[in-house]
């Protein structure tokens, strides 16, 4: 294949630029591109005898630098990076069945693996020789280098194949929207690298936008602030509404930021304004999906409309909005209801599956969640519409709320001023925290479990 059909791993040939920052003995240490390539080459050498022809690498590494080693080793071996959204045993068993002979690269004990999945703990790579690395690899643009999986919240996780050329175009478009193309930043992310958002906004920019990442995946506010303090400015926090609200509520000093990115769930305008005021940095939202990749961005404190990333197109096909162009793999139907504006931007109206009907009245769960989250004192909240039970003529909404200092009566009184009485939740349960996953989402299974617990109290 000629060179015109290949693209390099990094956006420039300077192999001494940092690609990551890590905590080593309480001190932040950078890792260069050259060292990454040397360690990935040694890892590939160690993995090769155990990797069946055509098999992939299930990359479960929690450390973002270790994830990078596995991803690059896969490129050197022509083995696809399999990136499940969940480490659940059932999910991994399905992947093992669909991709026989694959290795599972891990950097910690995440519990027993399915018997069909070959465990490969991250080996000692201290004998890697960075000085021997003089050039970077070039990858065919049409090579499938990663397979990401949907969350499975509406059924079995679906595999989404990503080619190298499309991923490069993806991160270039995202870097342009986030300002990384003009000013590379040091990225601290609260979301995993396996997830499409974390993959596109925290990992790939280190390769194609000269923006090194912090290797850890901080979750608690103190961990996030420590990670931010460990990397030099300019700093970019890649996070979710849940992590952002928790950070602001912690009441601790936060190192200066130069940018904030949020995704995975709609961000309340009040939270966006509060974040920009408290952190002194612009906040941008990213819209997209595992199927399509990132598609659009907006700054919610300035506008509610979304601007498409460069080269992305939306089209209406028999009432279904499809995304295509530049880095989108094919023509991807969107799960959201969208109002396209005359200037090419669009407004989000909620998910197709989000619309509910209670006693003949229609609304969306997203709108209800926005209303309850806007009540002063509410830190986190979620409405839930359970499935109907036999003999039950009217299904009542439930709500689960984190609101220290407020009672359920206080919340219901405030909700009566905001929503139709038919949508008032019964039960409304107060919790210390909602069981969100690593990307800040609440799964249907988690909500159903909360509902069952509430009904039996």
């Amino acid at each position: 294949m000629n060179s015109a059909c290949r693209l390099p791993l990094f956006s420039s040939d300077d192999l001494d630029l940092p690609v990551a920052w890590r905590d080593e003995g309480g001190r932040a240490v950078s890792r260069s591109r050259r060292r990454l390539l040397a360690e990935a080459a040694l890892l590939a050498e160690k993995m090769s005898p155990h990797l069946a022809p055509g098999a992939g690498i299930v990359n479960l590494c929690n450390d973002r630098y270790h994830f990078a080693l596995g991803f690059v080793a896969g490129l050197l071996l022509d083995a696809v990076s399999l990136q499940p959204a969940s480490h659940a045993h059932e999910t991994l068993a399905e992947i093992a069945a669909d991709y026989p002979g694959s290795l599972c690269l891990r950097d910690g004990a995440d519990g027993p693996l399915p018997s069909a999945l070959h465990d490969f703990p991250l080996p000692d790579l201290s004998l890697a020789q960075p000085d021997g690395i003089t050039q970077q690899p070039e990858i065919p643009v049409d090579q499938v280098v990663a397979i990401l999986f949907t969350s499975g919240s509406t059924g079995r996780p679906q595999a989404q194949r990503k080619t190298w050329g499309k991923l490069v175009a993806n991160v270039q478009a995202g870097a342009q929207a986030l300002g990384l193309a003009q000013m590379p930043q040091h990225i601290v992310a609260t979301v995993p690298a396996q997830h499409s958002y974390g993959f596109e906004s925290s990992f790939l920019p280190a390769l194609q936008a000269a923006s090194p990442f912090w290797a850890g995946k901080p979750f608690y506010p103190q961990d996030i602030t420590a990670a931010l303090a460990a990397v030099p400015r300019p700093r970019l926090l890649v996070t979710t509404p849940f992590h952002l609200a928790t950070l602001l509520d912690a009441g601790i000093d936060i190192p200066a930021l130069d940018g904030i990115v949020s995704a995975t769930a709609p961000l309340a305008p009040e939270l966006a304004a509060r974040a920009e005021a408290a952190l002194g940095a612009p906040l941008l939202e990213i819209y997209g999906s595992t199927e399509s990749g990132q598609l659009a961005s907006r700054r919610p404190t300035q506008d509610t409309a979304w601007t498409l990333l460069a080269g992305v197109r939306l089209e209406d096909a028999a009432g279904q909005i499809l995304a295509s162009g530049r880095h989108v793999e094919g023509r991807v139907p969107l799960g959201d209801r969208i109002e396209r504006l005359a200037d090419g931007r669009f407004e989000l109206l909620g998910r197709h599956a989000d619309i509910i009907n209670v006693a003949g009245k229609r609304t969306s769960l997203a709108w209800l969640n926005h209303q309850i989250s806007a009540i002063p004192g509410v830190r986190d909240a979620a409405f839930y519409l359970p499935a109907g039970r036999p003999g039950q003529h009217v299904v009542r909404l439930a709500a689960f709320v984190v609101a220290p200092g407020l009672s359920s009566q206080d919340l219901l009184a405030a909700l009566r001023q905001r929503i139709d009485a038919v949508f008032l939740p019964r039960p409304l349960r107060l919790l210390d925290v909602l069981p969100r996953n690593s990307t800040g989402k609440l799964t249907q299974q988690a909500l159903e479990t909360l509902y069952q617990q509430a009904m039996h109290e």
Side-chain angles (χ1 to χ4, degrees):
M1 184 172 291
N2 62 57
S3 59
C5 296
R6 294 173 176 265
L7 287 172
L9 178 65
F10 301 111
S11 54
S12 72
D13 288 327
D14 187 347
L15 298 183
D16 293 316
L17 287 177
V19 72
W21 289 84
R22 305 193 69 232
D23 182 349
E24 294 191 0
R27 186 169 65 96
V29 177
S30 65
R31 285 286 178 265
S32 70
R33 294 171 170 180
R34 194 184 306 276
R35 179 161 179 176
L36 171 67
L37 288 173
E39 293 182 346
L42 181 56
L43 176 60
E45 180 183 323
K46 291 177 178 291
M47 297 180 82
S48 180
H50 307 280
L51 191 67
I57 300 171
V58 181
N59 195 333
L60 297 189
C61 289
N62 291 304
D63 182 293
R64 214 171 302 267
Y65 182 70
H66 294 164
F67 172 88
L69 289 173
F71 180 82
V72 177
L75 293 179
L76 299 177
L77 292 168
D78 196 17
V80 68
S81 176
L82 300 169
Q83 300 173 202
S86 167
H87 292 195
H89 192 276
E90 181 181 354
T91 298
L92 297 180
E94 291 173 347
I95 292 175
D98 292 342
Y99 304 91
S102 296
L103 294 184
C104 183
L105 181 67
R106 299 200 289 177
D107 57 0
D110 292 322
L113 292 175
S115 57
L117 198 56
H118 181 77
D119 193 6
F120 193 89
L122 187 73
D124 178 14
L125 301 173
S126 60
L127 296 181
Q129 300 294 320
D131 291 342
I133 301 298
T134 59
Q135 61 185 10
Q136 61 171 313
E138 293 191 340
I139 302 102
V141 295
D142 57 357
Q143 179 177 327
V144 177
V145 298
I147 297 179
L148 280 61
F149 296 84
T150 59
S151 64
S153 58
T154 58
R156 196 176 193 269
Q158 299 299 307
Q160 306 297 323
R161 298 160 65 88
K162 306 293 181 178
T163 59
W164 179 242
K166 294 288 189 180
L167 284 179
V168 170
N170 182 322
V171 71
Q172 289 175 345
Q176 181 179 342
L178 299 178
L180 298 180
Q182 298 76 31
M183 183 180 71
Q185 301 191 42
H186 298 85
I187 297 172
V188 171
T190 63
V191 289
Q194 290 84 355
H195 186 269
S196 58
Y197 170 41
F199 188 56
E200 295 167 343
S201 297
S202 74
F203 171 66
L204 290 177
L207 306 183
Q208 290 290 322
S211 294
F213 55 77
W214 176 251
K217 187 182 66 177
F219 181 86
Y220 296 106
Q222 292 80 1
D223 299 328
I224 297 172
T225 56
L228 290 170
V231 300
R233 295 187 70 179
R235 304 183 184 108
L236 178 69
L237 177 62
V238 174
T239 190
T240 72
F242 166 70
H243 292 100
L244 186 59
T246 303
L247 177 63
L248 295 176
D249 288 340
I252 57 179
D253 291 335
I254 303 171
L257 287 170
D258 299 277
I260 313 161
V261 181
S262 178
T264 74
L267 187 67
E270 297 85 355
L271 178 57
R274 182 183 168 204
E276 288 196 348
L279 304 178
L283 186 152
L284 296 178
E285 278 189 281
I286 292 290
Y287 170 74
S289 67
T290 306
E291 296 89 339
S292 66
Q294 52 192 348
L295 297 175
S297 67
R298 69 175 179 179
R299 186 173 176 185
T301 57
Q302 296 186 350
D303 204 336
T304 60
W306 295 85
T307 299
L308 290 168
L309 299 187
V312 175
R313 299 186 300 273
L314 297 182
E315 57 182 298
D316 192 332
Q320 172 71 66
I321 299 296
L322 304 177
S324 61
R326 195 173 182 178
H327 62 266
V328 182
E329 302 275 1
R331 298 166 73 232
V332 179
L334 302 184
D336 294 288
R337 295 178 299 122
I338 283 175
E339 179 183 356
R340 299 169 69 189
L341 305 179
D343 61 3
R345 300 182 302 159
F346 64 90
E347 297 271 6
L348 281 178
L349 305 179
R351 296 191 64 78
H352 290 296
D354 203 29
I355 300 300
I356 61 173
N357 188 318
V358 177
K361 295 187 176 182
R362 287 164 56 89
T363 188
S364 76
L365 289 172
W367 184 82
L368 293 173
N369 288 339
H370 171 74
Q371 294 302 318
I372 196 169
S373 297
I375 297 173
V378 172
R379 294 185 178 178
D380 199 6
F383 271 81
Y384 177 59
L385 183 66
R389 269 54 176 179
Q392 188 176 18
H393 299 293
V394 178
V395 178
R396 295 301 301 264
L397 283 159
F400 308 100
V401 190
V402 179
L406 296 180
S407 67
S408 57
Q409 291 77 15
D410 295 330
L411 292 166
L412 288 170
L415 280 173
R416 287 190 181 94
Q417 305 301 314
R418 294 172 172 272
I419 65 177
D420 191 293
V422 74
F423 300 122
L424 289 174
R426 294 287 193 277
L428 188 155
R429 189 182 183 205
L430 291 168
L431 302 171
D432 293 330
V433 65
L434 295 186
R436 296 184 180 273
N437 63 20
S438 59
T439 63
K441 290 187 176 182
L442 277 170
T443 65
Q444 289 296 107
Q445 181 179 356
L447 288 168
E448 176 64 18
T449 298
L450 289 177
Y451 178 75
Q452 291 297 333
Q453 292 171 349
M455 296 305 292
H456 286 88
E457 287 184 350

